Amino acid sequence: MERLTKEKLVLAGLTVFSMFFGAGNLIFPPFLGASAGTVTWIAVAGFAVTAIGFPVLGVVAVAQSGGLDKLAGRVHPKFAFIFTLLIYLSIGPCLAIPRTASTSFEMAVVPFLKEGSSNTLMQFLYSVVFFTIAFVVALKPDKLTDRLGKILTPILLVLIAVIFAGCIIHPAGAYGTPSETYEKAPFIKGFLEGYMTMDTIAALNFGIIISLNIKAMGIKKEADVVHETIRAGFFAGGILLLVYSALSHVGAVTGGAFGLADNGAQTLNQAVQFLYGKAGLILLAAVFFIACLNTCIGLISCCSKYFCTIIPKVGYRTWAFIFAFVSLIISNAGLNKILEISVPVLSALYPVSIVLIILSFVFRDGERWRAVYVCAMGLTGIIGVLLSLETAGAEVLHAELIKLPFYSYGLGWICPAVVGIVIGVIIEAIMGSLKTHD
């Protein structure tokens, strides 16, 4: 087989979507809609660039380069190892995996607990059940298409469609007045909100599992696997656009009726209770549980596969158990501390990830343009680390950093990245000229 059938392509696309679509993706769009009001669709366009465009391009970049290690290896093999390891640890057991359990507990269990009941005990019991299910499903990484694409993701999409349909048939109100930041620059604000989903980093992780599932569908040639991975990525991007648009509309009409809530979770709570009463809370609990479980399964699978490549003596199942067990402990005992450490690391990795993806398309020959990769990634990485240290409270070189263009938007790394690319191109031009004269 050289191409996936339409049915198998849909299943592969749904699997990719399910791995991307976690709690954060569920919360950001409704809050965007509630905050943006009448300029919601301009903000959604900006959000789509960074919450859909870059992640899909990330899947494509990893597929075309033959893996994240080879893509990052265009800079240097040691950089590739450290960068890849930090990404898998940050987006895996040190942050994202534990957060799937804690977030889904807050939304799926806490609203139904009686006053005075022990949240600590209930959270532990919930985490045991949650990670046991995730671990068992993750044991067959090549079967995720059957389990996520065929079962859990369609259920999730139907539940979201029920919420959206309710807002269309019986809207709580009209789009409200946009908040100050959205009124001034709705596209830029939406762009920045999408940037914070961190899905671009996740895209670099998921490539290995996506390829594995496409091979399990009968695609054997590596070139065909790459092509079908790209098709599945774009299909998933289309679904993400539809879902984000629907959730943004839900947020916009809810915010217009009830005012701006503290976050997207509260906005969704207001929406479902208005539409369906107490049954709406059950509906929302199921949405959060499935979304978080899907992401958790995907992350456990990706991290386990990667660690099998660097420590092959430890088998896949053992790694899956280790990540599930460690995440269970962290989600109950030390998530806040881990967040304090992991979020700045993640913030430093994100600009590097974006620049690496862009370079993979503009300068596809890594050997020919190695200086561009080294200079661009070097400057981006240095500024990214300094900016992330500020996020952590250590204002190193603050007086100089605030002079960077786009600093106030949290995008101070953009100009250093461009400067790095220009320097790299000049170096390659000089080296090319010297070789010609020799």
Coordinates of all heavy atoms in Angstrom, one line a residue, residues 49-132:
V49 N -2.8 30.7 13.6 CA -1.5 30.6 13.1 C -0.5 29.9 14.0 O 0.3 29.0 13.6 CB -0.9 32.1 12.9 CG1 0.5 32.1 12.5 CG2 -1.7 32.8 11.8
T50 N -0.6 30.2 15.3 CA 0.3 29.6 16.3 C -0.2 28.3 16.9 O 0.6 27.5 17.4 CB 0.7 30.6 17.3 OG1 -0.5 31.3 17.8 CG2 1.7 31.7 16.8
A51 N -1.5 28.2 17.0 CA -2.1 27.0 17.7 C -2.3 25.8 16.7 O -2.5 24.7 17.1 CB -3.4 27.3 18.4
I52 N -2.4 26.2 15.4 CA -2.6 25.1 14.4 C -1.5 25.1 13.4 O -0.9 24.1 13.1 CB -3.9 25.4 13.7 CG1 -5.1 25.4 14.7 CG2 -4.2 24.3 12.6 CD1 -6.4 25.8 14.0
G53 N -1.1 26.3 12.8 CA -0.1 26.4 11.8 C 1.2 25.8 12.2 O 1.7 24.9 11.5
F54 N 1.8 26.3 13.2 CA 3.1 25.9 13.7 C 3.1 24.4 14.1 O 4.1 23.7 13.7 CB 3.7 26.8 14.8 CG 4.3 28.0 14.3 CD1 3.9 29.3 14.8 CD2 5.3 28.0 13.3 CE1 4.4 30.4 14.3 CE2 5.9 29.2 12.8 CZ 5.4 30.4 13.3
P55 N 2.1 23.9 14.9 CA 2.1 22.5 15.2 C 2.1 21.6 14.0 O 2.8 20.6 13.9 CB 0.9 22.4 16.1 CG 0.7 23.7 16.7 CD 1.1 24.7 15.6
V56 N 1.2 21.9 13.0 CA 1.1 21.1 11.8 C 2.5 21.1 11.0 O 3.0 20.1 10.6 CB 0.0 21.6 10.9 CG1 0.0 20.9 9.5 CG2 -1.4 21.3 11.6
L57 N 3.1 22.3 10.9 CA 4.4 22.4 10.3 C 5.4 21.6 11.1 O 6.4 21.1 10.5 CB 4.8 23.9 10.2 CG 4.0 24.8 9.2 CD1 4.5 26.2 9.2 CD2 4.1 24.2 7.8
G58 N 5.3 21.6 12.4 CA 6.2 20.8 13.2 C 6.1 19.3 12.8 O 7.2 18.6 12.7
V59 N 4.9 18.8 12.7 CA 4.7 17.4 12.3 C 5.4 17.2 10.9 O 6.1 16.2 10.7 CB 3.2 17.0 12.2 CG1 3.0 15.7 11.6 CG2 2.6 17.1 13.6
V60 N 5.1 18.1 10.0 CA 5.7 18.0 8.6 C 7.2 18.0 8.7 O 7.9 17.2 8.0 CB 5.2 19.1 7.7 CG1 5.9 19.1 6.3 CG2 3.7 19.0 7.6
A61 N 7.8 19.0 9.5 CA 9.2 19.1 9.5 C 9.9 17.9 10.1 O 10.9 17.4 9.5 CB 9.6 20.3 10.4
V62 N 9.3 17.3 11.1 CA 9.9 16.1 11.7 C 9.8 14.9 10.7 O 10.7 14.1 10.6 CB 9.2 15.7 13.0 CG1 9.6 14.4 13.5 CG2 9.6 16.8 14.1
A63 N 8.7 14.8 10.0 CA 8.5 13.7 9.1 C 9.5 13.8 7.9 O 10.1 12.8 7.5 CB 7.0 13.7 8.6
Q64 N 9.6 15.0 7.4 CA 10.5 15.2 6.2 C 12.0 15.0 6.6 O 12.7 14.5 5.7 CB 10.3 16.6 5.6 CG 9.0 16.8 4.9 CD 8.8 18.2 4.3 OE1 9.5 19.1 4.7 NE2 8.0 18.3 3.3
S65 N 12.4 15.3 7.8 CA 13.8 15.2 8.2 C 14.1 13.9 8.7 O 15.3 13.6 8.9 CB 14.1 16.3 9.2 OG 13.3 16.1 10.4
G66 N 13.1 13.0 8.9 CA 13.4 11.6 9.4 C 13.5 11.5 10.9 O 14.0 10.5 11.4
G67 N 13.0 12.5 11.6 CA 13.0 12.4 13.1 C 13.5 13.7 13.7 O 14.3 14.4 13.1
L68 N 13.1 13.9 14.9 CA 13.6 15.1 15.6 C 15.1 15.2 15.8 O 15.7 16.2 15.7 CB 12.9 15.3 17.0 CG 13.2 16.4 17.9 CD1 13.1 17.8 17.1 CD2 12.4 16.4 19.2
D69 N 15.7 14.0 16.1 CA 17.1 14.0 16.3 C 17.9 14.4 15.1 O 18.9 15.1 15.2 CB 17.5 12.6 16.8 CG 17.1 11.5 15.8 OD1 16.1 11.7 15.1 OD2 17.7 10.4 15.9
K70 N 17.4 14.0 13.9 CA 18.1 14.3 12.7 C 17.8 15.8 12.3 O 18.7 16.5 11.8 CB 17.6 13.5 11.5 CG 18.0 12.0 11.6 CD 17.5 11.2 10.4 CE 18.0 9.7 10.6 NZ 17.5 8.9 9.5
L71 N 16.6 16.3 12.6 CA 16.3 17.7 12.4 C 17.2 18.6 13.3 O 17.9 19.5 12.8 CB 14.9 18.0 12.7 CG 14.4 19.5 12.5 CD1 14.7 20.0 11.1 CD2 12.9 19.6 12.9
A72 N 17.2 18.3 14.6 CA 18.1 19.1 15.5 C 19.5 18.9 15.3 O 20.4 19.7 15.6 CB 17.7 18.7 16.9
G73 N 19.9 17.7 14.7 CA 21.3 17.4 14.4 C 21.9 18.3 13.3 O 23.1 18.3 13.2
R74 N 21.1 19.0 12.6 CA 21.6 20.0 11.7 C 22.4 21.1 12.3 O 23.2 21.8 11.7 CB 20.5 20.6 10.8 CG 19.7 19.5 10.0 CD 18.6 20.1 9.2 NE 17.9 19.1 8.4 CZ 16.8 19.4 7.7 NH1 16.3 20.6 7.6 NH2 16.2 18.4 7.0
V75 N 22.1 21.3 13.6 CA 22.9 22.3 14.4 C 24.2 21.6 14.9 O 25.3 22.0 14.6 CB 22.1 22.8 15.6 CG1 22.9 23.8 16.4 CG2 20.7 23.4 15.1
H76 N 24.0 20.5 15.7 CA 25.1 19.7 16.2 C 24.6 18.5 16.9 O 23.5 18.5 17.5 CB 25.9 20.5 17.2 CG 27.3 19.9 17.5 ND1 27.4 18.9 18.5 CD2 28.5 20.1 17.0 CE1 28.7 18.6 18.5 NE2 29.4 19.3 17.7
P77 N 25.2 17.3 16.8 CA 24.7 16.1 17.5 C 24.5 16.3 19.0 O 23.5 15.8 19.5 CB 25.8 15.1 17.2 CG 26.5 15.5 15.9 CD 26.4 17.0 16.0
K78 N 25.4 17.0 19.7 CA 25.2 17.2 21.1 C 24.0 18.1 21.4 O 23.2 17.9 22.3 CB 26.5 17.8 21.7 CG 27.6 16.9 21.8 CD 28.8 17.5 22.5 CE 30.0 16.5 22.6 NZ 31.2 17.1 23.2
F79 N 23.8 19.1 20.5 CA 22.6 20.0 20.7 C 21.4 19.1 20.5 O 20.4 19.3 21.2 CB 22.7 21.1 19.6 CG 21.4 21.8 19.5 CD1 21.0 22.9 20.4 CD2 20.4 21.5 18.5 CE1 19.8 23.5 20.3 CE2 19.2 22.2 18.4 CZ 18.9 23.2 19.3
A80 N 21.4 18.2 19.5 CA 20.2 17.4 19.2 C 19.9 16.6 20.4 O 18.7 16.5 20.7 CB 20.5 16.5 18.0
F81 N 20.9 16.0 21.0 CA 20.6 15.1 22.2 C 20.0 15.9 23.3 O 19.0 15.5 23.9 CB 21.9 14.4 22.6 CG 21.7 13.5 23.9 CD1 21.0 12.3 23.8 CD2 22.1 14.0 25.1 CE1 20.8 11.6 24.9 CE2 21.9 13.3 26.2 CZ 21.3 12.0 26.2
I82 N 20.6 17.0 23.7 CA 20.2 17.8 24.8 C 18.8 18.4 24.6 O 17.9 18.4 25.4 CB 21.2 18.9 25.2 CG1 22.5 18.3 25.6 CG2 20.7 19.9 26.2 CD1 23.7 19.3 25.8
F83 N 18.7 19.0 23.4 CA 17.4 19.6 23.0 C 16.2 18.6 23.0 O 15.2 18.9 23.6 CB 17.5 20.3 21.6 CG 16.3 20.9 21.1 CD1 15.7 22.0 21.6 CD2 15.6 20.3 20.0 CE1 14.6 22.6 21.1 CE2 14.5 20.9 19.5 CZ 13.9 22.0 20.1
T84 N 16.5 17.5 22.4 CA 15.4 16.5 22.3 C 15.1 15.9 23.7 O 13.9 15.8 24.1 CB 15.9 15.3 21.4 OG1 16.2 15.8 20.2 CG2 14.7 14.3 21.3
L85 N 16.1 15.7 24.5 CA 15.9 15.2 25.9 C 15.1 16.2 26.7 O 14.1 15.8 27.4 CB 17.2 14.9 26.6 CG 17.2 14.3 28.0 CD1 16.6 13.0 28.0 CD2 18.6 14.3 28.6
L86 N 15.4 17.5 26.7 CA 14.7 18.5 27.4 C 13.3 18.6 27.0 O 12.4 18.8 27.8 CB 15.4 19.9 27.3 CG 16.7 20.0 28.0 CD1 17.4 21.4 27.7 CD2 16.5 19.9 29.5
I87 N 13.0 18.5 25.7 CA 11.7 18.6 25.2 C 10.8 17.4 25.7 O 9.7 17.6 26.2 CB 11.7 18.6 23.6 CG1 11.9 20.0 23.1 CG2 10.3 18.1 23.1 CD1 11.8 20.1 21.6
Y88 N 11.4 16.2 25.6 CA 10.6 15.0 26.1 C 10.3 15.1 27.6 O 9.3 14.7 28.1 CB 11.3 13.7 25.7 CG 11.0 13.3 24.3 CD1 11.9 13.5 23.2 CD2 9.8 12.7 24.0 CE1 11.6 13.1 21.9 CE2 9.5 12.3 22.7 CZ 10.4 12.5 21.7 OH 10.1 12.1 20.4
L89 N 11.3 15.5 28.4 CA 11.1 15.6 29.8 C 10.1 16.7 30.2 O 9.3 16.5 31.0 CB 12.5 15.9 30.5 CG 13.5 14.7 30.5 CD1 14.8 15.1 31.1 CD2 12.9 13.5 31.3
S90 N 10.2 17.9 29.5 CA 9.4 19.0 29.9 C 7.9 18.8 29.5 O 7.0 19.0 30.2 CB 9.9 20.3 29.2 OG 11.2 20.6 29.7
I91 N 7.7 18.3 28.2 CA 6.4 18.1 27.8 C 5.8 16.8 28.3 O 4.6 16.5 28.1 CB 6.3 18.2 26.2 CG1 4.9 18.6 25.7 CG2 6.8 16.8 25.6 CD1 4.7 20.0 25.9
G92 N 6.7 16.0 28.9 CA 6.3 14.6 29.4 C 6.1 14.6 30.9 O 5.2 15.3 31.4
P93 N 6.9 13.8 31.6 CA 6.7 13.6 33.0 C 6.9 14.8 33.9 O 6.4 14.8 35.0 CB 7.7 12.4 33.3 CG 8.8 12.6 32.3 CD 8.1 13.0 31.1
C94 N 7.6 15.8 33.4 CA 7.9 16.9 34.3 C 6.8 18.0 34.2 O 6.9 19.0 34.9 CB 9.3 17.5 33.9 SG 10.6 16.4 34.4
L95 N 5.9 17.9 33.3 CA 4.9 18.9 33.2 C 3.6 18.4 32.6 O 2.6 18.4 33.3 CB 5.4 20.1 32.3 CG 4.4 21.2 32.0 CD1 4.0 21.9 33.3 CD2 5.1 22.3 31.1
A96 N 3.6 18.1 31.3 CA 2.3 17.9 30.7 C 1.5 16.6 31.1 O 0.3 16.7 31.3 CB 2.5 17.8 29.1
I97 N 2.3 15.5 31.3 CA 1.6 14.3 31.7 C 0.9 14.4 33.1 O -0.2 14.1 33.3 CB 2.5 13.1 31.7 CG1 3.0 12.8 30.2 CG2 1.8 11.8 32.2 CD1 4.0 11.7 30.1
P98 N 1.7 14.9 34.1 CA 1.0 15.1 35.4 C -0.2 16.1 35.4 O -1.2 15.9 36.1 CB 2.1 15.6 36.3 CG 3.4 15.2 35.7 CD 3.1 15.2 34.2
R99 N 0.0 17.1 34.5 CA -1.1 18.1 34.5 C -2.4 17.6 33.9 O -3.5 18.1 34.2 CB -0.6 19.3 33.7 CG -1.4 20.5 33.8 CD -0.8 21.8 33.2 NE -0.5 21.6 31.8 CZ 0.1 22.5 31.0 NH1 0.5 23.6 31.6 NH2 0.3 22.3 29.7
T100 N -2.3 16.5 33.0 CA -3.5 16.0 32.4 C -4.4 15.4 33.5 O -5.6 15.5 33.5 CB -3.2 14.9 31.4 OG1 -2.4 13.8 32.0 CG2 -2.4 15.4 30.2
A101 N -3.8 14.8 34.5 CA -4.5 14.2 35.6 C -5.1 15.2 36.6 O -6.3 15.2 36.9 CB -3.7 13.2 36.4
S102 N -4.2 16.2 36.9 CA -4.7 17.2 37.9 C -5.8 18.1 37.3 O -6.7 18.5 38.0 CB -3.5 18.1 38.4 OG -2.8 18.7 37.3
T103 N -5.6 18.5 36.0 CA -6.6 19.3 35.4 C -8.0 18.6 35.2 O -9.0 19.2 35.5 CB -6.1 19.8 34.0 OG1 -4.9 20.5 34.2 CG2 -7.1 20.8 33.4
S104 N -7.9 17.4 34.7 CA -9.2 16.6 34.5 C -9.8 16.4 35.9 O -11.1 16.3 35.9 CB -8.9 15.3 33.8 OG -8.0 14.5 34.5
F105 N -9.0 16.2 36.9 CA -9.6 16.0 38.3 C -10.4 17.2 38.7 O -11.5 17.1 39.2 CB -8.6 15.7 39.3 CG -9.1 15.6 40.7 CD1 -9.7 14.5 41.2 CD2 -8.8 16.7 41.6 CE1 -10.2 14.4 42.5 CE2 -9.3 16.6 42.9 CZ -10.0 15.5 43.3
E106 N -9.8 18.4 38.5 CA -10.5 19.6 38.9 C -11.8 19.8 38.1 O -12.7 20.4 38.7 CB -9.5 20.8 38.6 CG -8.3 20.9 39.5 CD -8.7 21.3 40.9 OE1 -9.7 22.0 41.1 OE2 -8.0 20.8 41.9
M107 N -11.8 19.4 36.9 CA -13.0 19.7 36.1 C -14.0 18.5 36.1 O -15.2 18.7 35.9 CB -12.6 20.0 34.6 CG -11.8 21.2 34.5 SD -12.6 22.7 35.1 CE -14.1 22.7 34.1
A108 N -13.5 17.3 36.2 CA -14.4 16.1 36.1 C -14.9 15.6 37.4 O -15.9 14.8 37.5 CB -13.7 15.0 35.3
V109 N -14.2 15.9 38.5 CA -14.5 15.3 39.8 C -14.9 16.3 40.9 O -15.9 16.2 41.6 CB -13.3 14.4 40.3 CG1 -13.6 13.8 41.7 CG2 -13.0 13.3 39.4
V110 N -14.1 17.4 41.0 CA -14.3 18.4 42.1 C -15.7 18.9 42.1 O -16.3 19.1 43.2 CB -13.2 19.5 42.0 CG1 -13.6 20.6 43.0 CG2 -11.8 18.9 42.3
P111 N -16.3 19.3 40.9 CA -17.7 19.8 41.0 C -18.7 18.9 41.6 O -19.8 19.4 42.0 CB -18.0 20.1 39.5 CG -16.6 20.2 38.9 CD -15.8 19.3 39.6
F112 N -18.4 17.6 41.7 CA -19.4 16.6 42.2 C -19.1 16.2 43.6 O -19.9 15.4 44.1 CB -19.5 15.4 41.2 CG -19.8 15.8 39.8 CD1 -18.8 15.9 38.9 CD2 -21.1 16.0 39.4 CE1 -19.0 16.3 37.6 CE2 -21.4 16.4 38.1 CZ -20.4 16.5 37.2
L113 N -18.0 16.7 44.2 CA -17.7 16.2 45.6 C -18.5 17.0 46.6 O -18.9 18.2 46.4 CB -16.2 16.5 45.8 CG -15.2 15.7 45.0 CD1 -13.8 16.1 45.4 CD2 -15.3 14.2 45.3
K114 N -18.9 16.3 47.6 CA -19.6 16.9 48.7 C -18.7 17.8 49.5 O -17.5 17.6 49.6 CB -20.3 15.8 49.6 CG -21.3 15.0 49.0 CD -21.9 14.0 49.9 CE -22.9 13.1 49.3 NZ -23.5 12.1 50.2
E115 N -19.3 18.8 50.1 CA -18.5 19.7 51.0 C -17.9 19.0 52.2 O -18.6 18.2 52.8 CB -19.4 20.9 51.5 CG -19.7 21.9 50.4 CD -20.4 23.1 50.9 OE1 -20.4 23.3 52.1 OE2 -21.1 23.8 50.1
G116 N -16.7 19.2 52.4 CA -16.0 18.5 53.6 C -15.3 17.2 53.2 O -14.6 16.7 54.0
S117 N -15.5 16.7 52.0 CA -14.9 15.5 51.6 C -13.4 15.8 51.3 O -13.0 16.9 51.0 CB -15.5 14.9 50.3 OG -15.5 15.8 49.3
S118 N -12.6 14.8 51.4 CA -11.1 14.9 51.3 C -10.7 14.9 49.8 O -10.7 13.9 49.2 CB -10.4 13.8 52.0 OG -9.0 13.8 51.8
N119 N -10.4 16.1 49.3 CA -9.9 16.2 48.0 C -8.6 15.5 47.7 O -8.4 14.9 46.7 CB -9.8 17.7 47.6 CG -11.1 18.4 47.2 OD1 -12.1 17.9 47.6 ND2 -11.0 19.5 46.5
T120 N -7.8 15.5 48.8 CA -6.5 14.8 48.6 C -6.6 13.4 48.4 O -6.0 12.8 47.4 CB -5.6 15.1 49.9 OG1 -5.5 16.4 50.2 CG2 -4.2 14.4 49.7
L121 N -7.4 12.7 49.2 CA -7.7 11.3 49.0 C -8.3 11.0 47.6 O -7.9 10.1 46.9 CB -8.5 10.7 50.1 CG -8.9 9.2 50.0 CD1 -7.6 8.3 50.0 CD2 -9.8 8.8 51.1
M122 N -9.3 11.8 47.3 CA -10.1 11.6 46.1 C -9.2 11.8 44.8 O -9.2 11.1 43.9 CB -11.3 12.5 46.0 CG -12.4 12.1 47.0 SD -13.0 10.4 46.7 CE -13.6 10.5 45.1
Q123 N -8.3 12.8 44.9 CA -7.4 13.0 43.8 C -6.4 11.9 43.6 O -6.1 11.5 42.5 CB -6.6 14.3 44.1 CG -5.7 14.7 42.9 CD -5.1 16.1 43.0 OE1 -5.3 16.8 43.9 NE2 -4.4 16.5 41.9
F124 N -5.9 11.3 44.7 CA -5.0 10.2 44.6 C -5.7 9.0 44.0 O -5.2 8.4 43.1 CB -4.5 9.8 46.0 CG -3.6 8.5 46.0 CD1 -2.3 8.6 45.5 CD2 -4.1 7.3 46.4 CE1 -1.6 7.4 45.5 CE2 -3.4 6.2 46.4 CZ -2.1 6.2 45.9
L125 N -6.9 8.7 44.4 CA -7.7 7.5 43.9 C -8.0 7.8 42.4 O -7.9 6.9 41.6 CB -9.0 7.3 44.7 CG -8.8 6.9 46.1 CD1 -10.2 6.9 46.8 CD2 -8.1 5.5 46.2
Y126 N -8.4 9.0 42.1 CA -8.6 9.4 40.7 C -7.4 9.2 39.8 O -7.5 8.6 38.7 CB -9.1 10.8 40.6 CG -9.3 11.3 39.2 CD1 -10.4 11.0 38.4 CD2 -8.3 12.0 38.6 CE1 -10.6 11.5 37.1 CE2 -8.4 12.5 37.2 CZ -9.6 12.2 36.5 OH -9.7 12.6 35.3
S127 N -6.2 9.7 40.3 CA -5.0 9.6 39.6 C -4.6 8.1 39.3 O -4.1 7.8 38.2 CB -3.9 10.3 40.3 OG -4.2 11.6 40.5
V128 N -4.8 7.3 40.3 CA -4.5 5.8 40.1 C -5.3 5.3 39.0 O -4.8 4.6 38.1 CB -4.8 5.1 41.4 CG1 -4.7 3.6 41.2 CG2 -3.8 5.5 42.5
V129 N -6.6 5.6 39.0 CA -7.5 5.0 37.9 C -7.1 5.7 36.6 O -7.0 5.0 35.5 CB -9.0 5.4 38.2 CG1 -9.9 5.0 37.0 CG2 -9.4 4.6 39.5
F130 N -6.9 7.0 36.6 CA -6.6 7.7 35.3 C -5.3 7.2 34.7 O -5.3 6.9 33.5 CB -6.4 9.2 35.7 CG -6.2 10.1 34.5 CD1 -7.2 10.6 33.7 CD2 -4.9 10.4 34.1 CE1 -7.0 11.4 32.6 CE2 -4.6 11.2 33.0 CZ -5.7 11.7 32.3
F131 N -4.2 7.1 35.5 CA -2.9 6.6 34.9 C -2.9 5.1 34.6 O -2.2 4.7 33.7 CB -1.8 7.0 35.8 CG -1.4 8.5 35.8 CD1 -1.6 9.3 36.8 CD2 -0.9 9.0 34.6 CE1 -1.3 10.7 36.8 CE2 -0.5 10.3 34.5 CZ -0.7 11.2 35.6
T132 N -3.7 4.4 35.3 CA -3.8 2.9 35.0 C -4.4 2.8 33.6 O -3.9 2.0 32.8 CB -4.7 2.2 36.0 OG1 -4.1 2.3 37.3 CG2 -4.8 0.7 35.7

